Amino acid sequence: MAAGLKTIIALSFVRLPPSSSPSHPTRERSTPPTNPPNQVLAIGFLLVILSSALWHNYLPLLVVATYVVAPLPNWICGRCANPDDFMENAGSAIVDFGRFVTGFLVVMGIALPALLAHCALIQFPAMAMSIVGGLLIYGTIISFTMFFQEEQDF
């Protein structure tokens, strides 16, 4: 089973050579290059899906839901804060609440597979794959949001 997992991960990085179309032998098609964050996100989803598929148990898929929902409270509470008034500090409580709920969801994404493995509802390798895949998914989502975040100039 470990050899199959290594093969699937290795195949996700294989880049096929460009092939020519039979109707147009002079024109070559090339595959578009993929960037590393997309590959990391794909490996994260692959690990979580395989943690469910290899052991025939859907419970590790709950990690995907927690990591996809995790940035939302921070984003929503950041939008609800009043960024226009720089002298008023009353908007920081809702931002802190958003960070708290986001932190709770991230910790739940790590603790939920550990709890399920402790209760023998999932296997320990499925727990490890689910945690690593979930952290890769969340890390990619956060890196995308940090990269595309607009900075405010005063």
Side-chain angles (χ1 to χ4, degrees):
M1 189 173 337
L5 180 62
K6 290 179 184 176
T7 304
I8 291 173
I9 292 174
L11 286 176
S12 67
F13 288 106
V14 172
R15 186 175 163 99
L16 298 174
S19 62
S20 59
S21 175
S23 62
H24 300 286
T26 58
R27 184 174 33 167
E28 292 186 9
R29 289 184 290 167
S30 63
T31 58
T34 58
N35 52 357
N38 288 340
Q39 290 177 349
V40 171
L41 184 65
I43 289 174
F45 278 116
L46 177 72
L47 284 174
V48 173
I49 290 171
L50 283 178
S51 71
S52 297
L54 291 178
W55 286 277
H56 307 291
N57 196 346
Y58 68 92
L59 289 173
L61 288 177
L62 295 174
V63 173
V64 175
T66 60
Y67 282 119
V68 168
V69 173
L72 292 179
N74 202 8
W75 179 72
I76 291 171
C77 292
R79 296 286 179 194
C80 291
N82 189 7
D84 296 333
D85 193 7
F86 67 93
M87 293 297 287
E88 185 178 340
N89 201 11
S92 67
I94 195 162
V95 173
D96 290 340
F97 177 73
R99 289 179 183 157
F100 173 76
V101 174
T102 298
F104 173 77
L105 289 171
V106 170
V107 171
M108 188 175 80
I110 296 169
L112 184 63
L115 176 73
L116 292 173
H118 178 73
C119 294
L121 293 174
I122 64 172
Q123 302 284 330
F124 280 101
M127 174 198 72
M129 290 171 62
S130 180
I131 289 174
V132 170
L135 289 175
L136 288 175
I137 292 168
Y138 182 69
T140 307
I141 290 171
I142 291 301
S143 67
F144 276 129
T145 57
M146 295 296 279
F147 183 74
F148 291 113
Q149 187 176 16
E150 298 176 8
E151 293 187 21
Q152 298 177 355
D153 294 330
F154 287 102

